[in-house]
Amino acid sequence: MSTEYIIRLGQQRSQTRLIRFDEQPVVQAPVSALSSVLYDRFRTSRGRDEATDFLCKMGLAARDDQGELHPSVSGILMATSEPRDWMPNAFIQAVAYHGTSPAETNGNLPYQLDARDLSGPLDEQVREACRFVARNMKVAAVKTLGRRDIPQYDLTAVFEALVNAVAHRDYAIYGAKIRLRLYSDRLEIYSPGSIPNTMTVDSLLYRQSARNETLTSLLAKCSVPTEMSWLQSDRQTYMDKRGEGVRIILENSEKLSGRRPEYRLIDDDELLLTIFAATGVVSGHESL
């Protein structure tokens, strides 16, 4: 078995959380791969630690068996401009389709409307994925007392779903990436990895468990940009660790579309979230 596979098995089975994949050193990467611009945003105004001590305390760097310092998995994901240089599958593959299936074709229309590989630090991946959804979803204009736009998807729910995907996916699964699929009637997010610990699909709404504790801690320190004014929340950071994300996804989406989103575990190795589009929305719109 490969080292990555052994580590993943230990992570899944360890109830004491002694093995954390997101804190492991990425030994092929030099510590100089970490960008001070990206990691200094996690410093507090009172922090006076030297760079090496700070990186280790934050879980952004770790030492290998020989004592040499390297970026950690979390450091690569949050403090490098291109994580794929060291972790080739650490990105979101986003595709928008014209119809309800990848195989659906129309002689006069392309079956793909848009396709992007979204990389960069995880917070940037989330931001760009939200822009991708906003750019490709449809918005209806209702003229009652003034104009009112009705989008296909609640972007706050989409934001929560994407944050959960990047924060909780299993980065130890070789060759797996987050897949975002936008169809005419639904949005799908495929996140690599099973559900952590003893949680089930049915208990996601009621329980919390973090596979990547360092990552979630860093995202909880990562400020939401002011440009994301469409985020209908008092949220100041990408994660608040209160465990409200799944509830927001389910309730906001159901309120808009009338259908509750569905979670499904595929082969005990990938979590699929389906958010259904609001019906009767026919005009294109780009809002971000």
Side-chain angles (χ1 to χ4, degrees):
M1 292 185 291
S2 69
T3 301
E4 285 186 346
Y5 186 69
I6 293 170
I7 291 173
R8 184 155 61 92
L9 286 178
Q11 180 195 44
Q12 291 172 342
R13 295 174 181 173
S14 173
Q15 298 302 309
T16 58
R17 305 292 293 164
L18 293 176
I19 302 175
R20 298 176 181 171
F21 184 78
D22 60 334
E23 293 181 356
Q24 300 299 309
V26 180
V27 295
Q28 68 271 32
V31 73
S32 59
L34 297 174
S35 165
S36 60
V37 173
L38 292 174
Y39 65 68
D40 277 344
R41 59 187 173 152
F42 299 114
R43 288 184 182 271
T44 64
S45 58
R46 292 176 294 180
R48 295 292 184 269
D49 289 327
E50 294 294 329
T52 297
D53 292 337
F54 171 74
L55 292 173
C56 291
K57 286 180 180 179
M58 295 301 296
L60 293 165
R63 297 189 183 277
D64 61 20
D65 293 339
Q66 286 72 45
E68 186 174 348
L69 192 66
H70 297 275
S72 67
V73 169
S74 292
I76 292 293
L77 295 172
M78 294 299 298
T80 64
S81 58
E82 182 48 272
R84 287 189 294 179
D85 287 346
W86 314 105
M87 299 176 63
N89 295 292
F91 70 100
I92 299 174
Q93 184 188 73
V95 183
Y97 295 98
H98 185 269
T100 61
S101 167
E104 185 174 309
T105 58
N106 183 309
N108 299 318
L109 295 171
Y111 77 102
Q112 285 188 4
L113 296 175
D114 197 0
R116 307 284 174 92
D117 287 346
L118 309 174
S119 190
L122 294 189
D123 54 305
E124 182 179 328
Q125 292 186 31
V126 170
R127 188 167 64 250
E128 290 307 311
C130 287
R131 286 198 179 106
F132 181 90
V133 173
R135 184 169 59 248
N136 288 288
M137 74 176 179
K138 295 169 180 157
V139 176
V142 177
K143 295 181 180 179
T144 51
L145 297 176
R147 177 190 172 102
R148 182 166 64 93
D149 290 341
I150 302 178
Q152 276 187 308
Y153 305 101
D154 180 277
L155 286 177
T156 300
V158 172
F159 169 80
E160 294 286 353
L162 289 164
V163 169
N164 280 353
V166 301
H168 300 305
R169 66 156 286 187
D170 190 339
Y171 288 95
I173 301 178
Y174 182 77
K177 55 190 169 288
I178 295 172
R179 292 178 290 148
L180 169 63
R181 299 292 184 261
L182 195 64
Y183 299 97
S184 60
D185 64 343
R186 69 194 186 281
L187 178 155
E188 296 179 345
I189 299 175
Y190 296 81
S191 181
S194 185
I195 302 172
N197 294 331
T198 59
M199 291 178 64
T200 66
V201 167
D202 293 332
S203 67
L204 285 173
L205 179 60
Y206 308 104
R207 296 181 57 194
Q208 278 184 278
S209 182
R211 171 182 280 114
N212 306 305
E213 294 183 2
T214 299
L215 269 185
T216 57
S217 178
L218 291 168
L219 286 166
K221 294 178 174 68
C222 195
S223 298
V224 173
T226 55
E227 67 195 62
M228 296 171 65
S229 57
W230 45 265
L231 186 61
Q232 301 298 312
S233 171
D234 60 358
R235 178 74 57 81
Q236 300 298 311
T237 59
Y238 274 73
M239 294 197 79
D240 61 11
K241 305 182 81 170
R242 293 181 296 187
E244 297 176 350
V246 172
R247 186 176 299 278
I248 291 171
I249 294 165
L250 297 178
E251 294 183 357
N252 286 23
S253 299
E254 185 175 18
K255 182 178 179 180
L256 181 64
S257 70
R259 293 187 65 182
R260 200 165 181 81
E262 296 177 357
Y263 283 96
R264 181 161 63 94
L265 194 58
I266 302 173
D267 294 336
D268 201 33
D269 216 31
E270 187 172 48
L271 185 65
L272 166 61
L273 168 63
T274 301
I275 300 177
F276 299 99
T279 58
V281 180
V282 295
S283 61
H285 180 68
E286 182 177 340
S287 59
L288 293 183

